């Protein structure tokens, strides 16, 4: 472990009067780990191990991945847990990746998860309605994940595998969280969520974090009501408790079909939109544009040229000064609302995975249309 480079960063920020939201680095395992411990790698929908690369490319049920992630979290806690600048821990980054893992470790863990959920095969067969198409199971070992080249249309199987994978990822978070908490019991812990991300049930996750945080990356032509919907969703996850706006771009994304630069004033407008709907931090990804890699064109406060006189830099600085003057006026504030719109991940999985009666179903869009009808009338939701 080499922490000296991070020591320098932490001390510079502390000397400048900055507080730290310090993250663990478990979202992207290094190449040596993938090579030495192949079970760390995720498997695709056919059960085939993928190659090393990308991010969140790990299997959530890999014993080696979990072991290394917990060790790293513990080392960070020992190194920085008592540092006066540490305000909050941020575990990993944007859990879930491209979707579920279908490896043999996940298959075995899924069977154990089902046994705990249903207790008996008779109960499972009854709940899943397996006599249809001769799908009755007579031994737990016969149950496989919903492989793309196998059984993928038994509705209850697909829904339960979604639930299982969300629970598996949540266990990874909880293992790191508990390693941090063992050393720093008084430091709050979060992880960054992603709106209505389809692979994780954030209502279950919210019970395990101290503070909800999420990453807001709307499209350049996004309906403002759709952005407000996501803020309200995150505020609702812990019964109205304010949340952290963990990430937003100060200028543009790099991964959408069209990555338009935010027009002058839009960063300020959307940041205040977040505050109005419960955000108690206004943060950014990223500080400085990368010289290379997959996000070298993702917006940043400091551009490749390294200048502090650009429009984006000046807008960020001006907004920061405004928020400083605002002080704690909005901190802890709640918005009384007499109307609720329910977004439910179980319902989303059940509807989207059903064969018929129509396709595509667009559950999320359907919920947002109801939200927007109220939002346009300034009705708190």
């Amino acid at each position: 472990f080499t922490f000296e480079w991070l020591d320098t960063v932490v001390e510079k920020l502390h000397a400048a009067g900055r507080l730290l939201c310090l993250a663990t680095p478990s979202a992207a395992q290094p190449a040596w780990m993938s090579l030495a411990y192949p079970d760390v790698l995720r498997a695709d929908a056919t059960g085939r191990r993928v190659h090393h690369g990308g991010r969140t490319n790990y299997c959530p049920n890999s014993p080696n991945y979990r072991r290394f992630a917990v060790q790293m979290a513990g080392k960070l806690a020992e190194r920085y847990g008592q540092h006066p600048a540490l305000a909050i821990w941020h575990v990993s980054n944007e859990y879930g990746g491209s979707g579920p893992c279908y490896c043999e470790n996940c298959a075995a863990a899924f069977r154990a998860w089902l046994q705990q959920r249903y207790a008996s095969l008779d109960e499972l067969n009854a709940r899943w309605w397996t006599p249809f198409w001769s799908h009755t199971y007579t031994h737990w070992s016969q149950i496989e994940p919903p492989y793309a080249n196998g059984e993928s249309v038994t509705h209850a199987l697909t829904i339960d595998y979604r639930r299982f994978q969300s629970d598996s990822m949540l266990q990874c978070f909880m293992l790191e969280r508990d390693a941090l908490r063992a050393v720093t019991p008084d430091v709050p812990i979060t992880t960054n969520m992603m709106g209505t991300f389809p692979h994780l049930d954030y209502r279950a996750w919210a019970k395990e974090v101290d503070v909800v945080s999420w990453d807001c990356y709307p499209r350049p032509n996004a309906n403002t009501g759709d952005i407000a919907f996501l803020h309200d969703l995150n505020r609702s996850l812990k019964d109205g408790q304010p949340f952290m706006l963990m990430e937003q771009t100060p200028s543009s994304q790099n991964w959408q079909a069209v990555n338009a630069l935010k027009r002058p004033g839009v960063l300020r407008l959307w940041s205040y939109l977040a505050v109005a709907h419960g955000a108690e931090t206004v943060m950014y990804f990223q500080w400085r544009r990368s010289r290379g890699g997959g996000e070298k064109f993702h917006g940043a406060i400091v551009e490749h040229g390294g200048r502090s006189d650009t429009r984006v830099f000046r807008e960020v600085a001006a907004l920061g000064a405004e928020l400083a003057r605002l002080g704690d006026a909005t901190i802890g504030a709640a918005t009384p609302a007499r109307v609720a719109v329910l977004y439910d991940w179980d319902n989303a999985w059940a509807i989207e995975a059903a064969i018929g009666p129509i396709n595509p179903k667009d559950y999320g869009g359907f919920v947002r249309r109801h939200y927007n009808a109220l939002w346009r009338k300034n009705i708190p939701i």
Side-chain angles (χ1 to χ4, degrees), residues 68-371:
F68 282 123
V70 168
Q71 182 189 39
M72 185 77 250
K75 293 286 187 180
L76 279 171
E78 293 168 3
R79 186 83 172 194
Y80 303 108
Q82 304 307 314
H83 198 285
L86 179 65
I88 186 170
W89 290 111
H90 171 189
V91 176
S92 197
N93 179 66
E94 294 183 340
Y95 275 100
S98 58
C101 175
Y102 297 85
C103 74
E104 61 274 12
N105 282 333
C106 284
F110 181 48
R111 296 181 193 110
W113 184 91
L114 290 172
Q115 289 181 59
Q116 185 173 15
R117 182 177 180 86
Y118 294 108
S120 72
L121 277 175
D122 287 342
E123 180 70 8
L124 180 141
N125 283 318
R127 295 288 192 92
W128 286 14
W129 203 247
T130 56
F132 191 77
W133 285 0
S134 298
H135 279 22
T136 301
Y137 296 103
T138 57
H139 196 277
W140 292 103
S141 61
Q142 297 164 5
I143 302 174
E144 293 185 326
Y147 294 123
N149 57 354
E151 180 47 68
S152 60
V153 296
T154 295
H155 200 189
L157 166 64
T158 61
I159 298 171
D160 269 345
Y161 202 72
R162 292 269 202 167
R163 293 167 174 153
F164 158 72
Q165 282 284 313
S166 180
D167 286 354
S168 297
M169 283 286 180
L170 180 56
Q171 287 175 6
C172 289
F173 165 80
M174 292 167 64
L175 286 168
E176 286 196 61
R177 178 203 64 187
D178 293 347
L180 296 169
R181 191 163 283 165
V183 181
T184 56
D186 299 323
V187 178
I189 302 172
T190 189
T191 189
N192 49 340
M193 302 176 187
M194 296 175 286
T196 57
F197 182 66
H199 300 298
L200 302 178
D201 181 356
Y202 285 145
R203 293 197 185 283
W205 282 64
K207 298 173 184 177
E208 304 298 338
V209 300
D210 296 317
V211 182
V212 169
S213 66
W214 86 283
D215 299 346
C216 182
Y217 289 113
R219 299 190 180 279
N221 61 345
N223 179 348
T224 312
D226 289 344
I227 306 173
F229 163 73
L230 294 172
H231 289 317
D232 277 343
L233 176 62
N234 280 275
R235 179 173 56 180
S236 77
L237 291 178
K238 289 185 81 69
D239 298 323
Q241 177 179 313
F243 61 89
M244 297 177 67
L245 178 58
M246 181 69 77
E247 291 185 23
Q248 63 173 334
T249 177
S251 53
S252 63
Q253 282 87 241
N254 74 323
W255 42 266
Q256 295 178 348
V258 176
N259 296 287
L261 184 69
K262 287 180 178 176
R263 301 188 309 278
V266 170
L267 170 66
R268 179 176 183 265
L269 181 68
W270 284 3
S271 296
Y272 277 113
L273 175 69
V275 172
H277 286 268
E280 294 200 334
T281 70
V282 174
M283 300 165 73
Y284 307 93
F285 180 81
Q286 52 191 335
W287 164 246
R288 184 188 299 271
R289 288 217 197 203
S290 174
R291 290 187 299 172
E295 293 185 291
K296 61 182 175 292
F297 293 124
H298 194 294
I301 299 170
V302 179
E303 296 290 342
H304 289 130
R307 299 167 64 98
S308 60
D309 60 353
T310 63
R311 173 174 69 82
V312 170
F313 190 99
R314 292 197 304 268
E315 284 194 7
V316 172
L319 176 61
E322 286 184 11
L323 293 173
R325 290 194 295 273
L326 184 64
D328 62 359
T330 65
I331 301 300
T335 300
R338 298 176 62 190
V339 176
V341 173
L342 176 62
Y343 184 92
D344 180 69
W345 276 266
D346 264 324
N347 204 26
W349 294 336
I351 290 172
E352 297 292 349
I355 299 177
I358 60 168
N359 283 299
K361 303 184 183 69
D362 191 22
Y363 169 77
F366 187 77
V367 176
R368 287 196 303 274
R369 285 194 293 276
H370 284 73
Y371 176 94

Side-chain angles (χ1 to χ4, degrees), residues 29 33-43 49-50 57-68 101 103-106:
Q29 78 270 20
M33 189 183 297
S34 297
L35 182 64
Y37 303 93
D39 72 286
V40 166
L41 289 168
R42 192 168 295 201
R49 291 278 181 188
V50 299
N57 186 28
Y58 57 85
C59 165
N61 287 293
S62 162
N64 284 309
Y65 169 79
R66 291 186 174 192
R67 174 170 61 90
F68 282 123
C101 175
C103 74
E104 61 274 12
N105 282 333
C106 284

